Amino acid sequence: MSSESKPIAVGVIGFGMSAQVFHAPLISSTKGLHLAAFVNRSGPNLTLSSKYPAATVYQSHSQLLQDPAIDLVVITTPNTLHFDLAREAIEAGKHVIVEKPFTVTFEQGILLAKLAKQHSRILSVFQNRRWDADFLTIQKLVQSQQSTLGRIVSFESRFDRFRNFSKNGWRETGRVEEGSGVLYDLCSHLLDQALALFGEPEFITAHVSNQRQLANSQVDDQFLVHLDYKDGLRCTLGAGMLARIPTPRFRLTGLNGSYVKYGLDVQENQLKEGLTPKDSAYGVEKEEDWGELDTLLQVEGVQLHVKGKVDSERGMYSAYYENVYDAIQGRASLVVTAEQAAWVIRGIQLAIESSRTGQRVSWSQPVA
């Protein structure tokens, strides 16, 4: 076996929902990656032993980082630990993937990006929602806007749910300064998708609040963020915990028509049910869940009114890990870079500032 094709040994720090549902199954499904170790403070447990019997289980991250066989470290801990753990892993000579959100501050993200370059290590952030079926479909519509929707004037993206109580996890009971709250949790996905589609805006305006007013949850549980662009495009990103009636996941509007999509991507539920990217049904939406298009198509100078469903692309979270593997091997550039992820955090910090002051703020203004 050549050195180029040698499997990359992966160690995962943390064994919570993110590691169990997303990272471990996706790593195990990716050719060229070997799931070699976990860090679980309580040591081996029944789930680890039954699902990953060949994996070493460490009780501290320092033990994992001292293991010379580990090439790539995946960090799935609470957000406030991301910066220190990523820094230690890079300095230990490991390639690193950090669960979103990347860090708590823009400054931390940029420092890590620079450190990874200094050590010639790959550093990426798990922005898996770029491989949602509906987002991949939106990408195609944006890329083909001149012949489909016309110039895009409005993009709306929401993650809404109904839960009028707290689950008492750190995302709801922690502090905003530690990266808790729905803004850090969900806007990190929505903002990353918007920046991937349209680039950096000119201004950002935000309203962030705690609507439920629960005694055991003082952090934000609702946000509405507007991104305004020089060409007149407005992106509206939002999330809330009190949407009992489903809201559209996406709404894309152009000069000639609109596309509307309801429902969340199927991959998370499929992974929970035990499906993997190796299964033919994985990432495939049912026709009843496809988005609706109503537009005037431009075909060879002729306008055609078209109304109906648009086949959703196949979602594929494993493409993220395949890209990281190829980047480590020197065969491809990273799709999700540390710099991109740091700018997502910068956007979150600007949203907090806008909400605090009640003012629209410039995307280019410094963050605290």
Side-chain angles (χ1 to χ4, degrees):
M1 180 179 291
S2 69
S3 59
E4 250 193 9
S5 60
K6 179 182 176 182
I8 291 172
V10 184
V12 179
I13 300 179
F15 196 63
M17 189 281 282
S18 174
Q20 294 183 49
V21 173
F22 294 104
H23 295 281
L26 294 175
I27 293 165
S28 300
S29 300
T30 303
K31 184 178 179 181
L33 297 183
H34 167 56
L35 185 50
F38 290 93
V39 174
N40 190 42
R41 286 183 299 176
S42 59
N45 58 35
L46 183 60
T47 302
L48 275 169
S49 301
S50 60
K51 288 191 173 182
Y52 309 102
T56 302
V57 180
Y58 295 112
Q59 289 185 269
S60 73
H61 73 274
S62 59
Q63 291 176 309
L64 176 73
L65 298 184
Q66 290 167 11
D67 186 341
I70 299 298
D71 305 301
L72 171 63
V73 171
V74 180
I75 298 169
T76 70
T77 62
N79 302 338
T80 189
L81 301 176
H82 288 182
F83 174 72
D84 288 335
L85 288 174
R87 180 180 59 188
E88 289 184 49
I90 294 168
E91 290 175 343
K94 313 299 185 184
H95 302 289
V96 178
I97 290 172
V98 183
E99 177 59 78
K100 66 81 201 167
F102 184 18
T103 52
V104 177
T105 70
F106 174 65
E107 181 182 20
Q108 290 176 335
I110 292 300
L111 285 173
L112 289 177
K114 291 179 179 178
L115 186 66
K117 287 184 177 179
Q118 291 169 4
H119 287 262
S120 300
R121 297 294 89 185
I122 292 296
L123 172 62
S124 184
V125 176
F126 188 60
Q127 296 288 359
N128 59 304
R129 294 288 178 179
R130 292 201 202 177
W131 287 271
D132 278 357
D134 47 18
F135 182 70
L136 293 173
T137 308
I138 287 277
Q139 274 189 314
K140 284 198 168 183
L141 288 170
V142 170
Q143 292 165 359
S144 64
Q145 61 186 273
Q146 293 306 317
S147 58
T148 53
L149 293 171
R151 178 173 60 84
I152 304 300
V153 298
S154 175
F155 171 69
E156 300 170 48
S157 176
R158 297 193 62 90
F159 271 140
D160 286 318
R161 65 188 71 168
F162 183 79
R163 195 174 78 233
N164 58 6
F165 60 91
S166 170
K167 288 186 174 180
N168 295 321
W170 59 264
R171 289 181 178 86
E172 293 183 274
T173 60
R175 297 184 299 123
V176 173
E177 296 80 5
E178 299 171 334
S180 294
V182 74
L183 186 70
Y184 272 97
D185 186 31
L186 297 181
C187 198
S188 53
H189 279 312
L190 304 187
L191 192 52
D192 176 74
Q193 289 180 331
L195 295 178
L197 285 174
F198 304 110
E200 296 173 14
E202 187 176 14
F203 296 103
I204 181 169
T205 311
H207 179 265
V208 184
S209 68
N210 183 326
Q211 291 184 326
R212 294 178 297 175
Q213 297 292 305
L214 301 174
N216 60 344
S217 181
Q218 305 302 311
V219 293
D220 55 273
D221 59 12
Q222 177 276 337
F223 66 81
L224 188 65
V225 175
H226 297 297
L227 307 177
D228 290 303
Y229 290 76
K230 290 182 179 180
D231 64 357
L233 168 68
R234 167 166 276 199
C235 293
T236 299
L237 315 176
M241 305 294 287
L242 297 175
R244 196 153 205 152
I245 297 174
T247 57
R249 172 67 183 90
F250 287 114
R251 188 190 304 272
L252 188 63
T253 303
L255 291 179
N256 297 329
S258 298
Y259 170 81
V260 179
K261 175 69 168 63
Y262 283 83
L264 292 177
D265 183 85
V266 297
Q267 293 175 83
E268 179 174 345
N269 284 337
Q270 289 180 330
L271 289 166
K272 288 178 179 177
E273 293 166 359
L275 267 71
T276 75
K278 295 179 180 179
D279 295 302
S280 60
Y282 179 86
V284 178
E285 288 192 336
K286 297 178 181 178
E287 183 175 350
E288 63 201 57
D289 296 323
W290 293 350
E292 294 276 352
L293 179 74
D294 189 339
T295 192
L296 291 174
L297 289 181
Q298 308 295 318
V299 182
E300 297 182 355
V302 177
Q303 284 191 340
L304 297 173
H305 180 212
V306 174
K307 183 177 181 180
K309 290 183 176 293
V310 176
D311 299 30
S312 290
E313 295 293 304
R314 185 185 185 190
M316 191 54 66
Y317 291 161
S318 60
Y320 170 83
Y321 269 105
E322 290 168 3
N323 173 252
V324 170
Y325 171 78
D326 287 339
I328 291 173
Q329 297 287 13
R331 300 172 184 163
S333 299
L334 270 181
V335 174
V336 182
T337 68
E339 290 83 0
Q340 291 170 0
W343 278 86
V344 168
I345 301 304
R346 190 177 190 282
I348 289 173
Q349 288 186 277
L350 290 174
I352 293 171
E353 177 66 11
S354 171
S355 183
R356 184 185 68 82
T357 62
Q359 301 291 320
R360 182 178 75 166
V361 300
S362 171
W363 182 263
S364 61
Q365 82 171 41
V367 292

